[in-house]
Structure formats: structure tokens, C-alpha cells
Amino acid sequence: MRKLYPEALADKSFDNTGLLLEAPFDPIRRQMNSVLLTIDLTRAVADEAIERKDCVVVAYHPLIFRGLKSLTLADSQQQSLLRLALEGISVYSPHTAVDAAPGGLADWLADIATGHLPSPEPATHTAHQDKTRETIPENEEANSNPEAKAPGDQPAEEKKKPQRPRMAMQRTYSKPTYPSHRPVDASKPDLNPSSVNHTRTVISPVEGVEGFEGAGMGRLITFNEPQPLTHLVERIAHGVGSPKGFPLAIPQGKQVEDIQIRTVGVSAGSGHSVLKGIEADLLFTGELSHHEALAATEKGQCVITLFHSNSERGYLSSVLRDKLTNVLKEEWERIRNEVAEAQELTPEWEDAVKDEDVFVECSERDRDPFGVVILQSSKQEGKPLS
């Protein structure tokens, strides 16, 4: 992880990156040569790692942010750490080092915003073209109101203009839904990343880390040609796992179909500290507070947020898993050769060194705390309000 995302790239003003838990290695009770990737190290993810017998959990968010005065089972997060240590499972957190690295999280989100759907992107039209007056036919009004008289039962002068009846609905709701982060079929990609002509700059550069020139927090995208906001919504939805919905803020008086985007400010997670003061048509991030989003729309900017960790989780399966697997295979081969040549080994160590395989997998239980609840289709009376 340090080869891919040096800790020197992280924002040390608040972050706590690196090896947070180093579990003792016991060759007699050896874990699998496997790593479990997760955004958040919850109890469910800790259970998963223990069941899988992983040797390391790479948790993007640090479970320890500040100094601890004690480690007890009374605290649910500390309980997870203690249970993992007991099972010989270590924990590493890269957090903002991944955000800042070239080809890291910020670039992944920028690749999505500048991607292109395999099929033709949806045609756009101006909102005023849809502002046709909706009328309710008299026969439909009569059918919807059982007390209405049939045509001809009342004088023409007493006939009233059709009125929209109230809707009576039996509401049923879906279970909370979350974006899908399953492995991508390379032959059938949902999105061709970074295929729309643009320039890209780092918002807050991180300098002085050899081999990582161009690192820094956030990205500012400038398209060669303005892009419809509707196209960006489609790209983002496909790129982050097709969620059932996500928040979109636009200035009052504007219509989504009318808005053209020339510049996009991008930041994973809580983006305000990176995006504040950025002059961009669209702010694309994990989350902004109510007042931060309101201030942006008052300035004429648009905002797309995904719920915090949904702006991060897809990176694990799309990018990090393969990167880490390749580096681990090389590193494990080097270590096996060094250990075999350097000393006589016990039978347990010999067995460990003979194991050539390494595996990196993404957690199946990791998810954002928030899901989207969908109002299901239900029987209704009256005319829909759309």
C-alpha cells in the first residue's frame, strides 16, 4: 500500500493513515494470504474478515483517528480491533493518500465525469418544450368522480371546468437500496472512462513526494465543449454502481434539462474543504452540508452528492483490487526468496513460504449507512401529478 499510496501524500492535519493494527504472526495458526478491502471497518466487515481468515484488512477510513487511552470491548469499534488482533488480522488505512495519488480516488471520479456511455447518450431538450398544458378529458373526470353527472344532465352554463381530483394512494416502500460494486465485465463496460475531451488540474497540490508528481487533493475538469447536466448525471450513475437515486442541487429558476456544464470540481468524501472557493459550474462530491450546498446554488453552481462513501467504494473494485494484487504478487515472491535463502526454517515457516498464492477481495458487507427507499407503484385513484 505504501508503494501505491505513500503516507506522505496524506493530509496529516487531521488524517491518521498507515498501519493501525499490527497483529502478531503465528505460523502454527496461519491466516490465508489474503487481503479484504473495505471503506469502513464495521462489525459486519470484521466478522467477514474473521470468517474468511484474511491476514489484513485495508480499511480506507481510519478506525482510529485520535489517541486512545484504553482498548475495551465496551466500545464497538475497539471491539472490532480487539477481535481482529485475537485472530491475527492486521488493519491498514490509506485514506487521503488514496485521494491525492495520481490515478487515485480523485482521478477515478474525474474519469467518471468525463466518461462516455457505450450506447448513445440520451438526447436532451430544453425544459420549456415540456411545459405543455395538461388537461383532463371530461369522460376521465367523470370516471374518476362517481358523483359527477353524465354529460347532458346539467345545463351547459352550469358545467364547470374539470378539476384535478385528489390522489388516494396506498403507499408501499422498498427496502433500502445501495449501489452495486460487483466486478466489472471488461467486455461490457457501463462507462468508457475519461473519453470526453477535457483538461484536468489538481485543486490542492501535494509536492515533494518523489515519483508522485501531479499528486494532490481534488480535480478541476474543464470540458472542451459544454456538456449537458443530464449527461453528467447519467455518467455518474453508471460509474458509481447505478444507485436508485442521489441528491442533485440546482439554482432556483433553472431546469435540469437546460443546464450546460463547462467546469466540474471533484472531491471524494466530504468535499467542502477541497472545493470551497472553486469557481466551477458543478461540484461533484460525496457530501456537502445543507448550508454549503445552499451557498453553492446561490452562486449559480450545481451540486451532485452521492452519500459520503458511495463516492469512494467503487474505487476498491474498479482500481485498487487489481493494483494491489499485482504489487503483492511481486512483493510476496521477493520475500519468499529472501526468507528461504537467509535461514533454516521450522516446518510451520516452510509451509507458509511454500504458499505462492495471494488474494485481494472487496468486502461484500461494506456499505454506506444510508440507502435509498423507493416508493413502489401502488393502486391510486385520480390523475397522477406528473
Side-chain angles (χ1 to χ4, degrees), residues 281-305:
D281 300 329
L282 171 65
L283 304 181
F284 171 33
T285 185
E287 65 179 351
L288 289 181
S289 73
H290 167 85
H291 296 290
E292 291 160 359
L294 187 61
T297 58
E298 289 291 283
K299 289 169 57 179
Q301 295 175 306
C302 300
V303 178
I304 290 178
T305 61

Short mmCIF file of all heavy atoms in Angstrom, two decimals, residues 281-305:
data_model
loop_
_atom_site.label_atom_id
_atom_site.label_comp_id
_atom_site.label_asym_id
_atom_site.label_seq_id
_atom_site.Cartn_x
_atom_site.Cartn_y
_atom_site.Cartn_z
N ASP A 281 -18.91 25.10 -12.54
CA ASP A 281 -20.35 25.01 -12.79
C ASP A 281 -21.00 23.91 -11.96
O ASP A 281 -22.17 24.02 -11.59
CB ASP A 281 -20.61 24.72 -14.28
CG ASP A 281 -20.05 25.81 -15.18
OD1 ASP A 281 -20.02 26.98 -14.75
OD2 ASP A 281 -19.65 25.47 -16.31
N LEU A 282 -20.24 22.84 -11.71
CA LEU A 282 -20.77 21.70 -10.97
C LEU A 282 -19.77 21.25 -9.92
O LEU A 282 -18.58 21.15 -10.21
CB LEU A 282 -21.05 20.53 -11.93
CG LEU A 282 -21.42 19.18 -11.32
CD1 LEU A 282 -22.75 19.25 -10.59
CD2 LEU A 282 -21.44 18.07 -12.38
N LEU A 283 -20.25 21.01 -8.71
CA LEU A 283 -19.45 20.41 -7.65
C LEU A 283 -19.91 18.96 -7.51
O LEU A 283 -21.08 18.69 -7.26
CB LEU A 283 -19.64 21.16 -6.32
CG LEU A 283 -19.35 22.67 -6.36
CD1 LEU A 283 -19.55 23.28 -4.97
CD2 LEU A 283 -17.94 22.95 -6.86
N PHE A 284 -18.98 18.03 -7.66
CA PHE A 284 -19.27 16.60 -7.63
C PHE A 284 -18.48 15.99 -6.48
O PHE A 284 -17.25 15.95 -6.51
CB PHE A 284 -18.89 15.98 -8.98
CG PHE A 284 -18.94 14.49 -9.03
CD1 PHE A 284 -19.86 13.76 -8.30
CD2 PHE A 284 -18.07 13.78 -9.87
CE1 PHE A 284 -19.90 12.38 -8.36
CE2 PHE A 284 -18.12 12.40 -9.96
CZ PHE A 284 -19.03 11.70 -9.18
N THR A 285 -19.18 15.50 -5.44
CA THR A 285 -18.51 15.04 -4.24
C THR A 285 -19.37 14.01 -3.52
O THR A 285 -20.45 13.65 -3.98
CB THR A 285 -18.18 16.24 -3.31
OG1 THR A 285 -17.42 15.78 -2.19
CG2 THR A 285 -19.45 16.93 -2.84
N GLY A 286 -18.87 13.55 -2.36
CA GLY A 286 -19.64 12.60 -1.58
C GLY A 286 -20.74 13.25 -0.77
O GLY A 286 -21.87 12.77 -0.73
N GLU A 287 -20.41 14.36 -0.12
CA GLU A 287 -21.42 15.05 0.67
C GLU A 287 -21.03 16.50 0.90
O GLU A 287 -19.85 16.85 0.95
CB GLU A 287 -21.64 14.36 2.02
CG GLU A 287 -20.43 14.39 2.94
CD GLU A 287 -20.69 13.72 4.28
OE1 GLU A 287 -21.86 13.39 4.56
OE2 GLU A 287 -19.72 13.53 5.04
N LEU A 288 -22.05 17.36 1.00
CA LEU A 288 -21.92 18.73 1.46
C LEU A 288 -23.02 18.97 2.49
O LEU A 288 -24.09 18.35 2.42
CB LEU A 288 -22.09 19.74 0.31
CG LEU A 288 -20.99 19.85 -0.74
CD1 LEU A 288 -21.36 20.93 -1.75
CD2 LEU A 288 -19.63 20.17 -0.11
N SER A 289 -22.78 19.86 3.41
CA SER A 289 -23.83 20.19 4.37
C SER A 289 -24.92 21.01 3.69
O SER A 289 -24.75 21.52 2.57
CB SER A 289 -23.25 20.99 5.54
OG SER A 289 -22.94 22.32 5.13
N HIS A 290 -26.04 21.16 4.36
CA HIS A 290 -27.15 21.96 3.84
C HIS A 290 -26.69 23.36 3.47
O HIS A 290 -26.97 23.85 2.37
CB HIS A 290 -28.26 22.03 4.90
CG HIS A 290 -29.31 23.04 4.61
ND1 HIS A 290 -30.40 22.79 3.81
CD2 HIS A 290 -29.44 24.34 5.02
CE1 HIS A 290 -31.16 23.86 3.73
NE2 HIS A 290 -30.60 24.82 4.46
N HIS A 291 -25.99 24.01 4.37
CA HIS A 291 -25.60 25.40 4.14
C HIS A 291 -24.53 25.52 3.06
O HIS A 291 -24.52 26.51 2.31
CB HIS A 291 -25.13 26.02 5.46
CG HIS A 291 -26.22 26.11 6.49
ND1 HIS A 291 -27.28 26.97 6.37
CD2 HIS A 291 -26.42 25.40 7.62
CE1 HIS A 291 -28.09 26.82 7.41
NE2 HIS A 291 -27.59 25.87 8.18
N GLU A 292 -23.65 24.52 2.97
CA GLU A 292 -22.64 24.55 1.91
C GLU A 292 -23.28 24.39 0.54
O GLU A 292 -22.92 25.09 -0.41
CB GLU A 292 -21.62 23.43 2.17
CG GLU A 292 -20.75 23.67 3.39
CD GLU A 292 -20.10 22.41 3.94
OE1 GLU A 292 -20.35 21.31 3.37
OE2 GLU A 292 -19.36 22.50 4.93
N ALA A 293 -24.24 23.47 0.43
CA ALA A 293 -24.94 23.29 -0.85
C ALA A 293 -25.77 24.51 -1.19
O ALA A 293 -25.82 24.93 -2.36
CB ALA A 293 -25.81 22.03 -0.79
N LEU A 294 -26.42 25.09 -0.20
CA LEU A 294 -27.24 26.28 -0.44
C LEU A 294 -26.38 27.45 -0.92
O LEU A 294 -26.75 28.17 -1.85
CB LEU A 294 -27.98 26.67 0.84
CG LEU A 294 -29.01 27.80 0.74
CD1 LEU A 294 -30.12 27.41 -0.23
CD2 LEU A 294 -29.58 28.12 2.11
N ALA A 295 -25.22 27.62 -0.31
CA ALA A 295 -24.32 28.69 -0.74
C ALA A 295 -23.87 28.48 -2.18
O ALA A 295 -23.74 29.44 -2.95
CB ALA A 295 -23.10 28.75 0.19
N ALA A 296 -23.65 27.23 -2.56
CA ALA A 296 -23.22 26.94 -3.93
C ALA A 296 -24.32 27.27 -4.94
O ALA A 296 -24.06 27.91 -5.96
CB ALA A 296 -22.81 25.47 -4.05
N THR A 297 -25.54 26.84 -4.66
CA THR A 297 -26.63 27.11 -5.61
C THR A 297 -26.94 28.60 -5.69
O THR A 297 -27.34 29.10 -6.74
CB THR A 297 -27.90 26.32 -5.24
OG1 THR A 297 -28.31 26.66 -3.91
CG2 THR A 297 -27.64 24.83 -5.34
N GLU A 298 -26.77 29.32 -4.58
CA GLU A 298 -26.98 30.76 -4.61
C GLU A 298 -25.96 31.47 -5.50
O GLU A 298 -26.22 32.54 -6.04
CB GLU A 298 -26.92 31.33 -3.19
CG GLU A 298 -28.11 30.96 -2.31
CD GLU A 298 -29.40 31.64 -2.77
OE1 GLU A 298 -29.57 32.84 -2.50
OE2 GLU A 298 -30.22 30.97 -3.43
N LYS A 299 -24.80 30.85 -5.66
CA LYS A 299 -23.76 31.39 -6.55
C LYS A 299 -23.97 30.95 -8.00
O LYS A 299 -23.21 31.32 -8.88
CB LYS A 299 -22.38 30.91 -6.09
CG LYS A 299 -21.87 31.54 -4.80
CD LYS A 299 -20.63 30.82 -4.29
CE LYS A 299 -19.52 30.81 -5.34
NZ LYS A 299 -18.30 30.13 -4.82
N GLY A 300 -25.01 30.15 -8.23
CA GLY A 300 -25.28 29.67 -9.58
C GLY A 300 -24.66 28.34 -9.90
O GLY A 300 -24.69 27.90 -11.05
N GLN A 301 -24.09 27.65 -8.89
CA GLN A 301 -23.46 26.36 -9.13
C GLN A 301 -24.47 25.23 -8.93
O GLN A 301 -25.48 25.38 -8.22
CB GLN A 301 -22.29 26.15 -8.16
CG GLN A 301 -21.14 27.13 -8.37
CD GLN A 301 -20.06 26.97 -7.30
OE1 GLN A 301 -20.34 27.02 -6.11
NE2 GLN A 301 -18.83 26.75 -7.75
N CYS A 302 -24.18 24.09 -9.53
CA CYS A 302 -24.94 22.86 -9.31
C CYS A 302 -24.12 21.94 -8.41
O CYS A 302 -22.89 22.05 -8.36
CB CYS A 302 -25.24 22.16 -10.63
SG CYS A 302 -26.19 23.15 -11.80
N VAL A 303 -24.79 21.04 -7.72
CA VAL A 303 -24.12 20.13 -6.80
C VAL A 303 -24.67 18.72 -6.99
O VAL A 303 -25.90 18.53 -7.01
CB VAL A 303 -24.31 20.55 -5.32
CG1 VAL A 303 -23.64 19.54 -4.39
CG2 VAL A 303 -23.78 21.96 -5.08
N ILE A 304 -23.80 17.74 -7.12
CA ILE A 304 -24.16 16.33 -7.07
C ILE A 304 -23.41 15.69 -5.91
O ILE A 304 -22.18 15.78 -5.84
CB ILE A 304 -23.82 15.59 -8.38
CG1 ILE A 304 -24.74 16.06 -9.52
CG2 ILE A 304 -23.94 14.08 -8.20
CD1 ILE A 304 -24.44 15.41 -10.86
N THR A 305 -24.15 15.07 -4.99
CA THR A 305 -23.54 14.30 -3.91
C THR A 305 -24.06 12.88 -3.98
O THR A 305 -25.13 12.62 -4.52
CB THR A 305 -23.85 14.91 -2.53
OG1 THR A 305 -25.26 14.90 -2.31
CG2 THR A 305 -23.33 16.34 -2.44
#
